């Protein structure tokens, strides 16, 4: 190695060069000690706390967790951070652990949280950092399950289906809080055939990836061979976008629908509006035309016999007596259920009639059809069921329309038909 290569000044004499070369090992040793000392300080200051975090429970939208330290803490401060956001959560502490309570409603469902804890100790100021330690979607989301009916080699069977793609681990499944149901195959749980017709409840306890137990209850209806949970598989649909619309004072879903020549239900469904009466000035709505696929449930209305039938995969499930339009007030045709409303109000020629009123003739449910002026609804006049008496809507007894509302999903096909001659 030349003098130039080791960075020596060419003007130095030979003695100076020898002395400088003897100092190199000592300088490297000092640099190494300084580097190790710096690393030691960093490791003492920042502790990756992943292994010391214990998730305790999840209740009423609050995540309870505990962080355990290996030394005594004095005056700890706790922070939760995500992109561009930092809060101080509720917490309590003892000298060796901190209990933290995280309200998931303080964040968005897709937020991923970081945890920072600062505290004094006998060895100086310390910091605990756990980056990306909590994905909130695992608490906003629930297990996706449904009760359905499938056709097997042994006939039609009722099944509980887990549609969560392995995100959750099911621990126990109980029917009516007394009969334990076991996993039959993959994500299917076959339900007993000898239970009574009517409504039943399934209770599922399951774990998310943080091993926190959660519970979900699902109600289902059984009639003979047929099993179904609520809103059974409404028809899938595609949307052709038309425009964005900013709601103005005095607007209604119906006015906006007429402006764009779309159905009110298309606006309601496209914008996921739970109550069409609650739109407000300044609200931005997406306008589009919906194209539905087939629905597993189909409703037929016999206009001559005043009867409504419900079919599942082409097989009749239920028959209800109905009241239909006088004369030809209910036109034969093809419809879809576009939205549904519980305990609806009635608007009759500008008059508001509150839900539950004896003069509110729509009863306990309203199932809006794809033609604006028609729907399937209940009644406050049960003695009129079976007659041709309505202004065009299909009326059912309240208990029947409530069951139909429970079973059918948005997009369910409805055929109003004349009896075969």
């Amino acid at each position: 190695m030349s003098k130039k290569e080791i960075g020596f000044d060419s003007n130095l004499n030979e003695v100076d060069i020898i002395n400088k070369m003897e100092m190199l090992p000592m300088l490297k040793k000092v640099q190494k000690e300084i580097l190790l000392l710096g690393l030691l300080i960093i490791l003492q200051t920042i502790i990756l706390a992943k292994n010391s975090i214990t998730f305790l429970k999840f209740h009423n939208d609050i995540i309870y967790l505990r962080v355990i330290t290996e030394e005594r803490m004095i005056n700890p401060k706790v922070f939760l951070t995500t992109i561009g956001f930092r809060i101080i959560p509720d917490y309590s502490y003892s000298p060796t652990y901190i209990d933290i309570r995280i309200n998931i409603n303080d964040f968005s469902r897709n937020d991923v949280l970081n945890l920072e804890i600062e505290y004094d100790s006998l060895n100086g100021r310390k910091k605990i950092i756990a980056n990306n330690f909590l994905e909130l979607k695992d608490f906003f989301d629930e297990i996706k399950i449904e009760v359905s009916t499938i056709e097997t080699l042994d006939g039609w069977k009722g099944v509980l289906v887990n549609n969560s793609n392995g995100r959750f681990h099911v621990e126990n499944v109980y029917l009516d809080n007394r009969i334990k149901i076991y996993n039959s195959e993959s994500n299917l749980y076959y339900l007993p055939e000898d239970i009574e017709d009517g409504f039943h409840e399934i209770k599922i306890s399951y774990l998310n990836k943080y091993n926190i137990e959660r519970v979900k209850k699902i109600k289902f209806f059984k009639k003979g061979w047929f099993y179904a949970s609520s809103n059974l598989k409404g028809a899938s649909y595609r949307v052709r976008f038309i425009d964005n619309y900013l709601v103005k004072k005095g607007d209604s879903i119906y006015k906006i629908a007429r402006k764009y020549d779309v159905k009110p239900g298309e606006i309601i469904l496209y914008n996921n509006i739970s109550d069409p009466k609650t739109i407000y000035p300044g609200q931005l709505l997406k306008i589009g035309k919906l194209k539905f696929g087939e629905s597993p449930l189909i409703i037929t209305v016999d206009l001559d016999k005043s009867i409504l039938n419900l079919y599942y995969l082409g097989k009749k499930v239920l028959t209800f007596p109905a009241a239909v339009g006088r004369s030809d007030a209910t036109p034969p045709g093809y419809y879809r259920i576009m939205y549904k409303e519980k305990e609806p109000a009635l608007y009759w020629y500008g008059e508001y009639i509150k839900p539950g009123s004896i003069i509110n003739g729509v009863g306990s449910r309203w199932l809006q059809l794809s033609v604006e002026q028609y729907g399937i609804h209940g009644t406050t006049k049960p003695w009129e069921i079976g007659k041709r008496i309505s202004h065009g809507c299909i009326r059912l007894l309240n208990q029947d329309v409530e069951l139909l509302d429970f079973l059918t999903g948005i997009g369910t096909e409805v055929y109003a038909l004349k009896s075969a001659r």
Side-chain angles (χ1 to χ4, degrees), residues 245-386:
Y245 180 78
L246 197 65
V247 177
K248 302 178 179 62
K249 186 176 180 179
D251 273 340
S252 70
I253 291 290
Y254 299 96
K255 289 181 181 178
I256 299 168
R258 284 192 285 270
K259 174 182 174 67
Y260 286 96
D261 192 25
V262 299
K263 296 178 173 60
E266 290 179 306
I267 297 177
I268 292 166
L269 194 55
Y270 193 13
N271 293 275
N272 195 29
I273 297 172
S274 58
D275 184 349
K277 300 185 293 297
T278 59
I279 63 169
Y280 53 89
Q283 182 179 3
L284 185 65
L285 297 177
K286 298 177 291 184
I287 311 297
K289 292 290 291 183
L290 273 59
K291 184 175 179 60
F292 286 97
E294 294 182 352
S295 60
L297 287 173
I298 291 177
I299 294 170
T300 66
V301 182
D302 188 320
L303 298 174
D304 290 325
K305 296 180 179 178
S306 297
I307 288 175
L308 182 147
N309 294 308
L310 180 67
Y311 293 83
Y312 176 68
L313 299 179
K315 191 173 180 180
K316 187 184 289 188
V317 178
L318 295 166
T319 297
F320 300 127
V324 298
R326 62 173 68 97
S327 185
D328 291 322
T330 306
Y334 172 70
Y335 308 90
R336 297 271 189 172
I337 293 176
M338 299 302 293
Y339 76 91
K340 303 187 295 180
E341 190 174 349
K342 295 182 179 180
E343 304 300 336
L346 174 61
Y347 296 86
W348 187 253
Y349 294 103
E351 182 182 359
Y352 171 81
I353 302 173
K354 66 180 181 179
S357 169
I358 189 65
I359 61 173
N360 181 339
V362 298
S364 61
R365 297 290 186 275
W366 173 267
L367 281 60
Q368 174 67 56
L369 298 181
S370 45
V371 175
E372 179 179 327
Q373 63 266 40
Y374 301 122
I376 302 172
H377 63 81
T379 183
T380 55
K381 301 175 181 179
W383 56 88
E384 294 183 346
I385 297 299

Side-chain angles (χ1 to χ4, degrees), residues 87-295:
I87 73 166
I88 299 174
D90 291 333
Y91 66 93
S92 58
Y93 66 94
S94 77
T96 55
Y97 67 82
I98 298 178
D99 284 336
I100 302 171
R101 297 168 292 282
I102 302 173
N103 189 331
I104 65 172
N105 298 310
D106 291 337
F107 303 91
S108 300
R109 69 178 303 279
N110 291 318
D111 280 342
V112 179
L113 300 187
N114 307 311
L115 173 66
E116 297 179 9
I117 301 175
E118 299 177 358
Y119 63 93
D120 292 319
S121 74
L122 297 177
N123 297 312
R125 191 68 175 168
K126 300 291 183 70
K127 181 181 287 188
I128 296 174
I129 295 178
N131 290 319
N132 303 329
F133 86 106
L134 184 62
E135 294 185 61
L136 288 177
K137 67 180 181 180
D138 288 292
F139 294 89
F140 277 98
D141 293 347
E142 294 184 332
I143 192 170
K144 296 178 181 178
I145 54 176
E146 65 176 357
V147 173
S148 186
T149 309
I150 63 172
E151 189 174 13
T152 71
L153 294 176
D154 297 323
W156 295 86
K157 305 285 186 184
V159 292
L160 173 71
V161 187
N162 179 359
N163 294 318
S164 298
N165 298 320
R167 283 188 60 199
F168 302 101
H169 172 71
V170 175
E171 287 195 301
N172 293 299
V173 177
Y174 283 94
L175 172 63
D176 294 332
N177 219 26
R178 58 187 177 84
I179 303 171
K180 186 170 184 177
I181 309 297
Y182 294 94
N183 195 342
S184 305
E185 55 183 77
S186 183
N187 288 319
L188 290 182
Y189 296 76
Y190 282 94
L191 302 179
E193 299 179 32
D194 58 353
I195 60 174
E196 296 178 354
D197 287 351
F199 284 99
H200 298 270
E201 185 180 77
I202 291 178
K203 179 179 176 181
I204 301 100
S205 59
Y206 62 98
L207 301 176
N208 65 10
K209 71 179 183 181
Y210 301 100
N211 282 325
I212 288 185
E213 183 178 74
R214 301 177 65 182
V215 173
K216 184 177 180 68
K217 295 179 180 179
I218 180 171
K219 187 178 180 181
F220 74 93
F221 175 78
K222 176 185 181 290
K223 175 69 181 301
W225 57 273
F226 176 73
Y227 299 69
S229 50
S230 183
N231 296 305
L232 175 66
K233 297 178 180 175
S236 60
Y237 61 88
R238 292 179 296 168
V239 182
R240 178 174 62 82
F241 175 78
I242 295 175
D243 198 4
N244 287 312
Y245 180 78
L246 197 65
V247 177
K248 302 178 179 62
K249 186 176 180 179
D251 273 340
S252 70
I253 291 290
Y254 299 96
K255 289 181 181 178
I256 299 168
R258 284 192 285 270
K259 174 182 174 67
Y260 286 96
D261 192 25
V262 299
K263 296 178 173 60
E266 290 179 306
I267 297 177
I268 292 166
L269 194 55
Y270 193 13
N271 293 275
N272 195 29
I273 297 172
S274 58
D275 184 349
K277 300 185 293 297
T278 59
I279 63 169
Y280 53 89
Q283 182 179 3
L284 185 65
L285 297 177
K286 298 177 291 184
I287 311 297
K289 292 290 291 183
L290 273 59
K291 184 175 179 60
F292 286 97
E294 294 182 352
S295 60

